Amino acid sequence: MTARGTPSRFLQSVLHNGVGRYVCQLKRISLIFSKKGQGSLGVRDFIEEGVVDFAKNNPGTVVYISPQSCRIPKIVAEYLNGNVKEETVTNKTSQEIVELITKLSNQSGLDIIRIRKPFHTDSPSIQGQWHPFTNRPPSIDPVGPQAK
Amino acid sequence: MSSFSRSAQQWATFARSWFLIDARMQPPGKIASVCSVRLQGKHKPIYHPLSDIGDHVVVMNTRHIAFSGNKWEQKVYSSHTGYPGSFKQLTAAQMHKKDPTAIIKLAVYGMLPKNLTRRTMMQRLHLFPDDVLPDDILRNLTEELPQPREIPRKLSEYTQEERDAFPMLWTPPEDYRMK
C-alpha cells in the first residue's frame, strides 16, 4: 500500500527515555511453547541454555515460561506503553531466538510504522519563529489614502 | 511571541497581510515587479512555490501611472481571440483610456510564474484607478510600501530661495539673447 494508505507517526521517544536514566521498555516477555512438538525445538534449546542469562542481564524485564499444548510456539513481548508484540518462532534455531529476543528488548514499544520525519525537536526555534511583523518597522499613522 | 501555543504560532507565521502601494507618477513595470514579489510570497523567509503564502496587494491611483520615454504611443498591446479578422492592437494610451487598470494588470500577469497558481495570485491583486478604496479593503491594510521611483519636483515646486541658491555656471550679460 502507499504511504498515505498505511498509518504513520512522528519520531518520538517514550517519556524522553535516555535523557536521564535509560529504562528498558520491555516489561514482560512470555515464551509459549509445547514440551513435545518439533516446532518448539529451538525454544526448548533456548530455555535450556540462554534464557537465564537473558533474565540476569535484563533485571527490569519479567520472563514467563509457559509450556502449553500448542501447535505454534510464540514469544509475546509487552512494553511499558502498553503495546503487545507477538512473534511466532516455529522451526527457529536457538541462535535466531537469541537474536530475536535481544531485538525485542532493544525496541521501545512504539509502533513500527512509517516515521514521517527522521528528526524531532521540542524547541524548533531559538530566536523566535518568523511572523509578518518580525522585521516590520512600527507605524503610528493609519495606512490608507487618507494618510496622505 | 515564544509564549504562543503551537497552533497560534503557526497561525501567526502563515498569516496573509494586505499591502498598499500608490502608483501615482510611477512606472507600471516597477510597480508590477514589487506586486509580483509580494503576491508570490517571495518576501517571506518561509517561501515555497507550493505553499500558497502570497499576500494581498492593493494598488491605488493606477490612472496616474507614468511611462518613461514614448511608450504611451509606441508600446502596443496585441490580442487575438482565435477567430479570423480579430487581431486587435492597441497602443498603451488607447488601452489606458479604455480601462485605467489594464496596464498594471497585464504587467503583473506577465511577471508572475506561468503556472496554475498565477490565477489565484491575480485574484489577490486589487487595482483601483483613483485613491477611493472600499471600506472593507481599507480596514484590512497593514502596510504601505514605498514608491519605487522618486518623483522629481517641478520647477514651480521649488522655492525662490532654492532657485537662487542653485549654482550657476556662468551669469549671462543683460543683453544676452537665448535662442
Side-chain angles (χ1 to χ4, degrees):
Chain A
M1 271 291 273
T2 49
R4 194 178 166 140
T6 46
S8 58
R9 64 175 177 96
F10 287 95
L11 183 71
Q12 59 183 139
S13 63
V14 182
L15 292 179
H16 300 283
N17 200 15
V19 174
R21 188 164 71 98
Y22 170 71
V23 175
C24 181
Q25 294 292 309
L26 184 62
K27 184 164 63 174
R28 200 178 302 139
I29 191 152
S30 323
L31 296 162
I32 299 161
F33 66 106
S34 86
K35 280 195 251 183
K36 282 277 172 46
Q38 81 226 84
S40 317
L41 185 61
V43 184
R44 275 176 263 139
D45 288 338
F46 170 69
I47 287 168
E48 266 174 52
E49 40 193 68
V51 76
V52 182
D53 297 327
F54 171 78
K56 283 210 184 101
N57 290 339
N58 304 58
T61 309
V62 184
V63 182
Y64 285 97
I65 313 281
S66 52
Q68 302 162 1
S69 66
C70 61
R71 285 200 65 179
I72 37 160
K74 281 194 268 200
I75 295 180
V76 179
E78 288 169 66
Y79 291 92
L80 287 175
N81 62 357
N83 285 1
V84 176
K85 205 151 190 296
E86 278 189 18
E87 309 256 352
T88 54
V89 287
T90 29
N91 294 327
K92 280 206 160 79
T93 61
S94 176
Q95 185 56 37
E96 286 171 11
I97 292 179
V98 164
E99 283 166 9
L100 176 68
I101 289 206
T102 40
K103 183 184 87 150
L104 288 172
S105 73
N106 289 337
Q107 280 177 358
S108 72
L110 301 166
D111 314 317
I112 315 273
I113 48 180
R114 177 179 70 97
I115 296 184
R116 285 179 181 229
K117 301 188 223 192
F119 39 81
H120 171 80
T121 169
D122 282 332
S123 49
S125 171
I126 303 289
Q127 298 176 359
Q129 203 175 53
W130 181 88
H131 54 84
F133 292 95
T134 311
N135 292 323
R136 238 188 238 189
S139 64
I140 311 164
D141 307 319
V143 180
Q146 287 79 28
K148 300 262 168 256
Chain B
M1 301 294 174
S2 53
S3 57
F4 283 0
S5 64
R6 296 281 165 126
S7 54
Q9 178 64 65
Q10 175 92 352
W11 189 76
T13 304
F14 288 87
R16 199 167 281 146
S17 321
W18 284 66
F19 292 99
L20 175 69
I21 186 158
D22 187 1
R24 183 179 284 275
M25 296 293 279
Q26 304 298 310
K30 289 210 159 83
I31 294 278
S33 87
V34 166
C35 289
S36 85
V37 163
R38 296 273 189 285
L39 288 168
Q40 291 175 68
K42 287 203 148 177
H43 59 294
K44 298 185 178 180
I46 46 167
Y47 168 76
H48 189 274
L50 297 173
S51 302
D52 189 25
I53 40 162
D55 291 330
H56 290 257
V57 180
V58 177
V59 186
M60 64 180 189
N61 285 326
T62 60
R63 189 174 275 136
H64 306 277
I65 49 173
F67 267 120
S68 57
N70 292 332
K71 286 187 213 150
W72 286 112
E73 276 74 39
Q74 286 177 346
K75 189 170 174 66
V76 168
Y77 289 90
S78 326
S79 62
H80 201 304
T81 63
Y83 289 94
S86 67
F87 181 52
K88 284 202 172 56
Q89 283 185 302
L90 289 170
T91 58
Q94 291 164 336
M95 186 89 157
H96 196 62
K97 195 164 162 202
K98 209 169 77 158
D99 178 12
T101 63
I103 288 183
I104 294 210
K105 187 159 163 206
L106 287 169
V108 176
Y109 192 74
M111 292 194 187
L112 292 175
K114 317 287 181 283
N115 56 26
L116 292 170
T117 55
R118 180 163 58 163
R119 298 260 165 178
T120 332
M121 292 174 197
M122 285 301 285
Q123 284 185 328
R124 296 196 181 124
L125 174 70
H126 311 272
L127 300 166
F128 295 97
D130 299 303
D131 59 2
V132 177
L133 303 178
D135 254 340
D136 42 2
I137 292 190
L138 266 179
R139 254 179 281 147
N140 287 345
L141 296 171
T142 59
E143 192 184 341
E144 170 141 19
L145 301 172
Q147 294 194 302
R149 171 194 183 229
E150 202 190 296
I151 304 175
R153 285 196 286 172
K154 298 196 196 99
L155 186 60
S156 51
E157 287 168 18
Y158 282 93
T159 61
Q160 188 58 43
E161 291 88 32
E162 281 173 322
R163 272 190 252 183
D164 295 333
F166 198 83
M168 292 267 281
L169 199 57
W170 61 289
T171 43
E174 291 296 312
D175 53 353
Y176 189 80
R177 222 168 33 149
M178 300 263 193
K179 283 224 187 93

